[in-house]
Amino acid sequence: FATLIITMTSIESLSAQVRPDVQKLLDEGINLFQQGKLSDAQQKFERALLLDITSEEALDWVDQVGYGQLIRVIRSGNDTLGAQMGALLRLTSLETKRRSMDAAAITDTLDSYFGEEDLLERTKLLYQSISDYGVYLLPGLVDRLGQPEQTARVLAIQAIIRMSDDAVLPLTRCLHSSRLGVVTGTIASLQKIKNPIAIPCLLWLAESSTDPLIRAAANAAADSIVAGSSSGDAYSILVDQAHEFSVDSTMMVRTYHDPVIWNVSDGALSYRTVEGWELNELRAEQLLGDALSLTADGGSALALNACNQMARWSEYSDVRSVISRQ
């Protein structure tokens, strides 16, 4: 607990590449943060993020000031240290459990999060809703990414990056969106989460987009996750990752959500549940779909896709050994 407090209040060095107008707001926000004026600091950091929604520094500070508010209210109570730690863990919990898919409750929660709640209440609501609903918040959050109102987009990114690894596979669907705001917000979120699983899909976007700014942003995000990634081949990496998901059951230990199929239609993210399918196989199929969109006659992706389909429906474990060899 003490380590978390120290981490959240430490001052990080800022990149020399930050835009001057963004840097000015960040400097003002840091000064307010050091004085304990967290609400005022939050306004500065969010304004900086509005000016440059992909700014790593602005994203970091928006996140830190939210943690600072959360810790302050917990520490201000009369609870013992153990009780304070319990409250913090409940609000930031990402432990494995089945999440609620109650659409009406999720809509009400998101309406409150994007409403007029103050910083403290919004931060508490964010962590509680991630614990309750997890990735099932994503369709509503992605919809806000595509809205013209910049504050809503910033709040959506804040929520998405708090889901960390669990948001990555659904976000890779969003790179196929027809809405520019969704695509740019997705790139910013993946760049912040820094999970290597996102790299081939970012490379796919860089190879397939006709927008030079989108291509540059996708390549930069890939390189920020793993240096030099933009020189790789999206098709080969996608097929390799799909193979790993098909044969290695440990690949899904970093996530908790139920097996679902994610899809993007007209810029909106949606999902449907699939009973009796292995989560890894669903993810392999998702990556193979991207690979085949790059190379429709790609022999390795087609062969792996056939093995993946057989493994999903077959009762025989021998199919998995075929996949691992072929």
Side-chain angles (χ1 to χ4, degrees):
F1 188 62
T3 302
L4 178 60
I5 295 170
I6 293 168
T7 301
M8 291 302 104
T9 55
S10 63
I11 307 302
E12 299 179 2
S13 61
L14 299 178
S15 169
Q17 298 178 347
V18 178
R19 284 170 36 179
D21 52 347
V22 175
Q23 183 68 69
K24 182 175 183 294
L25 287 168
L26 290 175
D27 290 341
E28 293 172 354
I30 291 169
N31 184 48
L32 292 166
F33 186 85
Q34 291 174 314
Q35 297 176 48
K37 299 177 181 178
L38 300 185
S39 296
D40 293 337
Q42 176 80 1
Q43 293 178 17
K44 297 290 184 180
F45 296 140
E46 288 191 348
R47 284 185 60 196
L49 197 53
L50 292 179
L51 292 176
D52 182 4
I53 202 166
T54 63
S55 169
E56 284 285 306
E57 289 78 11
L59 281 168
D60 283 337
W61 280 107
V62 166
D63 209 23
Q64 284 196 45
V65 76
Y67 263 124
Q69 283 277 30
L70 186 62
I71 292 168
R72 171 179 286 181
V73 70
I74 291 171
R75 295 181 69 193
S76 66
N78 295 322
D79 290 336
T80 64
L81 178 58
Q84 292 176 19
M85 290 178 66
L88 181 63
L89 288 171
R90 283 193 299 275
L91 288 170
T92 61
S93 174
L94 292 179
E95 82 283 3
T96 299
K97 71 176 185 180
R98 190 177 184 88
R99 306 294 164 169
S100 170
M101 301 169 67
D102 185 335
I106 290 172
T107 297
D108 289 343
T109 297
L110 289 176
D111 287 344
S112 297
Y113 177 67
F114 288 96
E116 299 300 321
E117 295 280 2
D118 65 21
L119 172 62
L120 174 59
E121 292 304 316
R122 178 176 286 138
T123 302
K124 291 166 63 178
L125 179 62
L126 171 60
Y127 286 104
Q128 188 63 61
S129 61
I130 290 175
S131 179
D132 291 342
Y133 307 112
V135 291
Y136 301 119
L137 294 167
L138 276 167
L141 293 172
V142 167
D143 179 65
R144 266 75 171 193
L145 285 180
Q147 294 180 5
E149 210 279 304
Q150 289 279 21
T151 301
R153 298 183 65 210
V154 170
L155 290 173
I157 290 177
Q158 281 182 258
I160 289 170
I161 62 178
R162 292 314 317 159
M163 297 181 197
S164 190
D165 294 336
D166 304 287
V168 173
L169 266 295
L171 286 177
T172 61
R173 297 300 85 205
C174 298
L175 295 176
H176 296 255
S177 175
S178 58
R179 300 165 72 187
L180 182 62
V182 170
V183 174
T184 56
T186 297
I187 293 172
S189 299
L190 290 172
Q191 183 170 345
K192 178 67 175 177
I193 294 170
K194 294 187 181 302
N195 190 318
I197 293 297
I199 289 175
C201 297
L202 289 166
L203 297 183
W204 166 84
L205 180 63
E207 294 174 12
S208 61
S209 176
T210 59
D211 187 329
L213 295 179
I214 292 294
R215 292 201 302 269
N219 278 324
D223 284 334
S224 75
I225 297 171
V226 175
S229 295
S230 62
S231 61
D233 169 43
Y235 174 78
S236 298
I237 302 174
L238 280 163
V239 172
D240 289 345
Q241 285 193 355
H243 178 268
E244 292 176 19
F245 272 121
S246 290
V247 302
D248 185 358
S249 62
T250 64
M251 292 291 289
M252 67 180 183
V253 299
R254 299 175 70 178
T255 61
Y256 54 70
H257 56 87
D258 308 318
V260 296
I261 292 179
W262 295 95
N263 184 51
V264 169
S265 178
D266 297 326
L269 179 68
S270 61
Y271 64 85
R272 63 184 178 89
T273 59
V274 184
E275 297 296 334
W277 286 8
E278 291 289 343
L279 186 56
N280 273 11
E281 290 162 4
L282 292 175
R283 293 182 173 178
E285 181 176 88
Q286 181 168 304
L287 296 172
L288 286 165
D290 281 342
L292 290 173
S293 71
L294 280 170
T295 310
D297 58 349
S300 56
L302 287 170
L304 181 57
N305 187 58
C307 289
N308 193 48
Q309 295 286 337
M310 286 190 292
R312 179 185 303 153
W313 297 109
S314 175
E315 297 178 1
Y316 301 101
S317 60
D318 290 344
V319 175
R320 294 193 181 278
S321 65
V322 172
I323 295 175
S324 64
R325 290 197 307 271
Q326 303 298 326

PDB file of all heavy atoms in Angstrom, residues 56-78:
ATOM      1  N   GLU A  56       1.658  10.223 -24.234  1.00  0.00           N
ATOM      2  CA  GLU A  56       1.936   9.271 -23.155  1.00  0.00           C
ATOM      3  C   GLU A  56       1.988   9.990 -21.810  1.00  0.00           C
ATOM      4  O   GLU A  56       1.462   9.499 -20.808  1.00  0.00           O
ATOM      5  CB  GLU A  56       3.280   8.576 -23.419  1.00  0.00           C
ATOM      6  CG  GLU A  56       3.224   7.506 -24.487  1.00  0.00           C
ATOM      7  CD  GLU A  56       2.559   6.235 -23.978  1.00  0.00           C
ATOM      8  OE1 GLU A  56       3.005   5.706 -22.950  1.00  0.00           O
ATOM      9  OE2 GLU A  56       1.579   5.794 -24.595  1.00  0.00           O
ATOM     10  N   GLU A  57       2.624  11.158 -21.761  1.00  0.00           N
ATOM     11  CA  GLU A  57       2.778  11.884 -20.502  1.00  0.00           C
ATOM     12  C   GLU A  57       1.429  12.334 -19.949  1.00  0.00           C
ATOM     13  O   GLU A  57       1.158  12.208 -18.746  1.00  0.00           O
ATOM     14  CB  GLU A  57       3.695  13.094 -20.704  1.00  0.00           C
ATOM     15  CG  GLU A  57       5.159  12.743 -20.924  1.00  0.00           C
ATOM     16  CD  GLU A  57       5.435  12.258 -22.343  1.00  0.00           C
ATOM     17  OE1 GLU A  57       4.553  12.385 -23.210  1.00  0.00           O
ATOM     18  OE2 GLU A  57       6.529  11.743 -22.585  1.00  0.00           O
ATOM     19  N   ALA A  58       0.572  12.873 -20.835  1.00  0.00           N
ATOM     20  CA  ALA A  58      -0.741  13.326 -20.376  1.00  0.00           C
ATOM     21  C   ALA A  58      -1.577  12.150 -19.866  1.00  0.00           C
ATOM     22  O   ALA A  58      -2.240  12.244 -18.830  1.00  0.00           O
ATOM     23  CB  ALA A  58      -1.466  14.050 -21.511  1.00  0.00           C
ATOM     24  N   LEU A  59      -1.527  11.025 -20.583  1.00  0.00           N
ATOM     25  CA  LEU A  59      -2.251   9.832 -20.136  1.00  0.00           C
ATOM     26  C   LEU A  59      -1.747   9.370 -18.766  1.00  0.00           C
ATOM     27  O   LEU A  59      -2.527   9.017 -17.884  1.00  0.00           O
ATOM     28  CB  LEU A  59      -2.086   8.702 -21.158  1.00  0.00           C
ATOM     29  CG  LEU A  59      -2.961   8.776 -22.410  1.00  0.00           C
ATOM     30  CD1 LEU A  59      -2.482   7.770 -23.449  1.00  0.00           C
ATOM     31  CD2 LEU A  59      -4.420   8.541 -22.085  1.00  0.00           C
ATOM     32  N   ASP A  60      -0.422   9.376 -18.596  1.00  0.00           N
ATOM     33  CA  ASP A  60       0.157   8.965 -17.318  1.00  0.00           C
ATOM     34  C   ASP A  60      -0.337   9.837 -16.168  1.00  0.00           C
ATOM     35  O   ASP A  60      -0.705   9.345 -15.097  1.00  0.00           O
ATOM     36  CB  ASP A  60       1.686   9.029 -17.383  1.00  0.00           C
ATOM     37  CG  ASP A  60       2.281   7.857 -18.144  1.00  0.00           C
ATOM     38  OD1 ASP A  60       1.614   6.819 -18.231  1.00  0.00           O
ATOM     39  OD2 ASP A  60       3.415   7.996 -18.641  1.00  0.00           O
ATOM     40  N   TRP A  61      -0.354  11.152 -16.386  1.00  0.00           N
ATOM     41  CA  TRP A  61      -0.714  12.053 -15.295  1.00  0.00           C
ATOM     42  C   TRP A  61      -2.209  12.037 -15.007  1.00  0.00           C
ATOM     43  O   TRP A  61      -2.618  12.158 -13.844  1.00  0.00           O
ATOM     44  CB  TRP A  61      -0.230  13.475 -15.600  1.00  0.00           C
ATOM     45  CG  TRP A  61       1.224  13.634 -15.290  1.00  0.00           C
ATOM     46  CD1 TRP A  61       2.253  13.745 -16.163  1.00  0.00           C
ATOM     47  CD2 TRP A  61       1.812  13.645 -13.981  1.00  0.00           C
ATOM     48  NE1 TRP A  61       3.452  13.834 -15.488  1.00  0.00           N
ATOM     49  CE2 TRP A  61       3.206  13.775 -14.156  1.00  0.00           C
ATOM     50  CE3 TRP A  61       1.299  13.563 -12.695  1.00  0.00           C
ATOM     51  CZ2 TRP A  61       4.094  13.822 -13.079  1.00  0.00           C
ATOM     52  CZ3 TRP A  61       2.169  13.608 -11.620  1.00  0.00           C
ATOM     53  CH2 TRP A  61       3.552  13.739 -11.818  1.00  0.00           C
ATOM     54  N   VAL A  62      -3.042  11.882 -16.036  1.00  0.00           N
ATOM     55  CA  VAL A  62      -4.480  11.742 -15.792  1.00  0.00           C
ATOM     56  C   VAL A  62      -4.731  10.524 -14.920  1.00  0.00           C
ATOM     57  O   VAL A  62      -5.540  10.546 -13.988  1.00  0.00           O
ATOM     58  CB  VAL A  62      -5.238  11.633 -17.130  1.00  0.00           C
ATOM     59  CG1 VAL A  62      -6.665  11.149 -16.905  1.00  0.00           C
ATOM     60  CG2 VAL A  62      -5.259  12.976 -17.839  1.00  0.00           C
ATOM     61  N   ASP A  63      -4.004   9.448 -15.210  1.00  0.00           N
ATOM     62  CA  ASP A  63      -4.140   8.213 -14.443  1.00  0.00           C
ATOM     63  C   ASP A  63      -3.647   8.414 -13.004  1.00  0.00           C
ATOM     64  O   ASP A  63      -4.297   7.981 -12.049  1.00  0.00           O
ATOM     65  CB  ASP A  63      -3.324   7.120 -15.131  1.00  0.00           C
ATOM     66  CG  ASP A  63      -3.898   5.729 -14.889  1.00  0.00           C
ATOM     67  OD1 ASP A  63      -5.096   5.627 -14.594  1.00  0.00           O
ATOM     68  OD2 ASP A  63      -3.135   4.760 -15.004  1.00  0.00           O
ATOM     69  N   GLN A  64      -2.509   9.057 -12.848  1.00  0.00           N
ATOM     70  CA  GLN A  64      -1.933   9.237 -11.516  1.00  0.00           C
ATOM     71  C   GLN A  64      -2.816  10.094 -10.611  1.00  0.00           C
ATOM     72  O   GLN A  64      -2.983   9.792  -9.426  1.00  0.00           O
ATOM     73  CB  GLN A  64      -0.542   9.880 -11.626  1.00  0.00           C
ATOM     74  CG  GLN A  64       0.538   8.925 -12.089  1.00  0.00           C
ATOM     75  CD  GLN A  64       1.927   9.477 -11.820  1.00  0.00           C
ATOM     76  OE1 GLN A  64       2.187   9.990 -10.739  1.00  0.00           O
ATOM     77  NE2 GLN A  64       2.814   9.350 -12.791  1.00  0.00           N
ATOM     78  N   VAL A  65      -3.377  11.157 -11.149  1.00  0.00           N
ATOM     79  CA  VAL A  65      -4.174  12.040 -10.291  1.00  0.00           C
ATOM     80  C   VAL A  65      -5.463  11.343  -9.875  1.00  0.00           C
ATOM     81  O   VAL A  65      -5.975  11.555  -8.769  1.00  0.00           O
ATOM     82  CB  VAL A  65      -4.450  13.382 -10.998  1.00  0.00           C
ATOM     83  CG1 VAL A  65      -5.522  13.265 -12.058  1.00  0.00           C
ATOM     84  CG2 VAL A  65      -4.826  14.461  -9.976  1.00  0.00           C
ATOM     85  N   GLY A  66      -5.989  10.461 -10.724  1.00  0.00           N
ATOM     86  CA  GLY A  66      -7.156   9.668 -10.343  1.00  0.00           C
ATOM     87  C   GLY A  66      -6.835   8.734  -9.196  1.00  0.00           C
ATOM     88  O   GLY A  66      -7.606   8.604  -8.234  1.00  0.00           O
ATOM     89  N   TYR A  67      -5.691   8.061  -9.267  1.00  0.00           N
ATOM     90  CA  TYR A  67      -5.251   7.213  -8.160  1.00  0.00           C
ATOM     91  C   TYR A  67      -5.066   8.033  -6.886  1.00  0.00           C
ATOM     92  O   TYR A  67      -5.417   7.606  -5.789  1.00  0.00           O
ATOM     93  CB  TYR A  67      -3.916   6.546  -8.515  1.00  0.00           C
ATOM     94  CG  TYR A  67      -4.031   5.145  -9.046  1.00  0.00           C
ATOM     95  CD1 TYR A  67      -3.494   4.820 -10.279  1.00  0.00           C
ATOM     96  CD2 TYR A  67      -4.641   4.144  -8.305  1.00  0.00           C
ATOM     97  CE1 TYR A  67      -3.578   3.526 -10.782  1.00  0.00           C
ATOM     98  CE2 TYR A  67      -4.727   2.852  -8.784  1.00  0.00           C
ATOM     99  CZ  TYR A  67      -4.191   2.542 -10.025  1.00  0.00           C
ATOM    100  OH  TYR A  67      -4.276   1.269 -10.504  1.00  0.00           O
ATOM    101  N   GLY A  68      -4.481   9.228  -7.055  1.00  0.00           N
ATOM    102  CA  GLY A  68      -4.244  10.077  -5.892  1.00  0.00           C
ATOM    103  C   GLY A  68      -5.537  10.432  -5.167  1.00  0.00           C
ATOM    104  O   GLY A  68      -5.600  10.419  -3.935  1.00  0.00           O
ATOM    105  N   GLN A  69      -6.575  10.746  -5.949  1.00  0.00           N
ATOM    106  CA  GLN A  69      -7.873  11.054  -5.337  1.00  0.00           C
ATOM    107  C   GLN A  69      -8.436   9.842  -4.609  1.00  0.00           C
ATOM    108  O   GLN A  69      -8.979   9.950  -3.505  1.00  0.00           O
ATOM    109  CB  GLN A  69      -8.865  11.489  -6.434  1.00  0.00           C
ATOM    110  CG  GLN A  69      -8.661  12.913  -6.915  1.00  0.00           C
ATOM    111  CD  GLN A  69      -9.341  13.907  -5.985  1.00  0.00           C
ATOM    112  OE1 GLN A  69      -9.480  13.668  -4.792  1.00  0.00           O
ATOM    113  NE2 GLN A  69      -9.750  15.046  -6.529  1.00  0.00           N
ATOM    114  N   LEU A  70      -8.324   8.679  -5.243  1.00  0.00           N
ATOM    115  CA  LEU A  70      -8.859   7.458  -4.646  1.00  0.00           C
ATOM    116  C   LEU A  70      -8.157   7.137  -3.330  1.00  0.00           C
ATOM    117  O   LEU A  70      -8.792   6.823  -2.319  1.00  0.00           O
ATOM    118  CB  LEU A  70      -8.687   6.300  -5.633  1.00  0.00           C
ATOM    119  CG  LEU A  70      -9.304   4.961  -5.244  1.00  0.00           C
ATOM    120  CD1 LEU A  70     -10.810   5.088  -5.097  1.00  0.00           C
ATOM    121  CD2 LEU A  70      -8.966   3.915  -6.293  1.00  0.00           C
ATOM    122  N   ILE A  71      -6.847   7.237  -3.324  1.00  0.00           N
ATOM    123  CA  ILE A  71      -6.070   6.931  -2.118  1.00  0.00           C
ATOM    124  C   ILE A  71      -6.365   7.946  -1.014  1.00  0.00           C
ATOM    125  O   ILE A  71      -6.475   7.596   0.166  1.00  0.00           O
ATOM    126  CB  ILE A  71      -4.569   6.898  -2.453  1.00  0.00           C
ATOM    127  CG1 ILE A  71      -4.274   5.695  -3.356  1.00  0.00           C
ATOM    128  CG2 ILE A  71      -3.725   6.821  -1.186  1.00  0.00           C
ATOM    129  CD1 ILE A  71      -2.908   5.720  -3.969  1.00  0.00           C
ATOM    130  N   ARG A  72      -6.534   9.211  -1.408  1.00  0.00           N
ATOM    131  CA  ARG A  72      -6.792  10.255  -0.405  1.00  0.00           C
ATOM    132  C   ARG A  72      -8.082   9.970   0.360  1.00  0.00           C
ATOM    133  O   ARG A  72      -8.123  10.072   1.588  1.00  0.00           O
ATOM    134  CB  ARG A  72      -6.879  11.618  -1.082  1.00  0.00           C
ATOM    135  CG  ARG A  72      -7.370  12.717  -0.136  1.00  0.00           C
ATOM    136  CD  ARG A  72      -7.425  14.061  -0.801  1.00  0.00           C
ATOM    137  NE  ARG A  72      -6.095  14.626  -0.999  1.00  0.00           N
ATOM    138  CZ  ARG A  72      -5.876  15.818  -1.544  1.00  0.00           C
ATOM    139  NH1 ARG A  72      -6.883  16.563  -1.933  1.00  0.00           N
ATOM    140  NH2 ARG A  72      -4.649  16.261  -1.691  1.00  0.00           N
ATOM    141  N   VAL A  73      -9.154   9.601  -0.346  1.00  0.00           N
ATOM    142  CA  VAL A  73     -10.423   9.386   0.338  1.00  0.00           C
ATOM    143  C   VAL A  73     -10.361   8.145   1.219  1.00  0.00           C
ATOM    144  O   VAL A  73     -10.953   8.100   2.304  1.00  0.00           O
ATOM    145  CB  VAL A  73     -11.591   9.286  -0.667  1.00  0.00           C
ATOM    146  CG1 VAL A  73     -11.545   7.999  -1.481  1.00  0.00           C
ATOM    147  CG2 VAL A  73     -12.926   9.393   0.055  1.00  0.00           C
ATOM    148  N   ILE A  74      -9.621   7.124   0.791  1.00  0.00           N
ATOM    149  CA  ILE A  74      -9.488   5.920   1.605  1.00  0.00           C
ATOM    150  C   ILE A  74      -8.707   6.219   2.883  1.00  0.00           C
ATOM    151  O   ILE A  74      -9.068   5.802   3.982  1.00  0.00           O
ATOM    152  CB  ILE A  74      -8.808   4.799   0.792  1.00  0.00           C
ATOM    153  CG1 ILE A  74      -9.759   4.328  -0.317  1.00  0.00           C
ATOM    154  CG2 ILE A  74      -8.429   3.626   1.678  1.00  0.00           C
ATOM    155  CD1 ILE A  74      -9.119   3.376  -1.303  1.00  0.00           C
ATOM    156  N   ARG A  75      -7.643   7.009   2.753  1.00  0.00           N
ATOM    157  CA  ARG A  75      -6.797   7.317   3.907  1.00  0.00           C
ATOM    158  C   ARG A  75      -7.495   8.260   4.886  1.00  0.00           C
ATOM    159  O   ARG A  75      -7.154   8.308   6.065  1.00  0.00           O
ATOM    160  CB  ARG A  75      -5.483   7.936   3.443  1.00  0.00           C
ATOM    161  CG  ARG A  75      -4.613   6.985   2.624  1.00  0.00           C
ATOM    162  CD  ARG A  75      -3.325   7.656   2.230  1.00  0.00           C
ATOM    163  NE  ARG A  75      -2.457   7.879   3.369  1.00  0.00           N
ATOM    164  CZ  ARG A  75      -1.376   8.663   3.355  1.00  0.00           C
ATOM    165  NH1 ARG A  75      -1.060   9.303   2.252  1.00  0.00           N
ATOM    166  NH2 ARG A  75      -0.633   8.801   4.428  1.00  0.00           N
ATOM    167  N   SER A  76      -8.482   9.031   4.384  1.00  0.00           N
ATOM    168  CA  SER A  76      -9.126  10.022   5.250  1.00  0.00           C
ATOM    169  C   SER A  76     -10.106   9.382   6.231  1.00  0.00           C
ATOM    170  O   SER A  76     -10.550  10.035   7.174  1.00  0.00           O
ATOM    171  CB  SER A  76      -9.881  11.051   4.399  1.00  0.00           C
ATOM    172  OG  SER A  76     -10.963  10.446   3.720  1.00  0.00           O
ATOM    173  N   GLY A  77     -10.450   8.112   6.003  1.00  0.00           N
ATOM    174  CA  GLY A  77     -11.377   7.432   6.901  1.00  0.00           C
ATOM    175  C   GLY A  77     -10.709   7.003   8.195  1.00  0.00           C
ATOM    176  O   GLY A  77      -9.510   7.176   8.404  1.00  0.00           O
ATOM    177  N   ASN A  78     -11.494   6.426   9.077  1.00  0.00           N
ATOM    178  CA  ASN A  78     -10.985   5.985  10.372  1.00  0.00           C
ATOM    179  C   ASN A  78     -10.649   4.504  10.389  1.00  0.00           C
ATOM    180  O   ASN A  78     -10.372   3.941  11.445  1.00  0.00           O
ATOM    181  CB  ASN A  78     -12.027   6.283  11.467  1.00  0.00           C
ATOM    182  CG  ASN A  78     -12.247   7.778  11.640  1.00  0.00           C
ATOM    183  OD1 ASN A  78     -11.291   8.546  11.558  1.00  0.00           O
ATOM    184  ND2 ASN A  78     -13.489   8.173  11.845  1.00  0.00           N
TER     185      ASN A  78
END
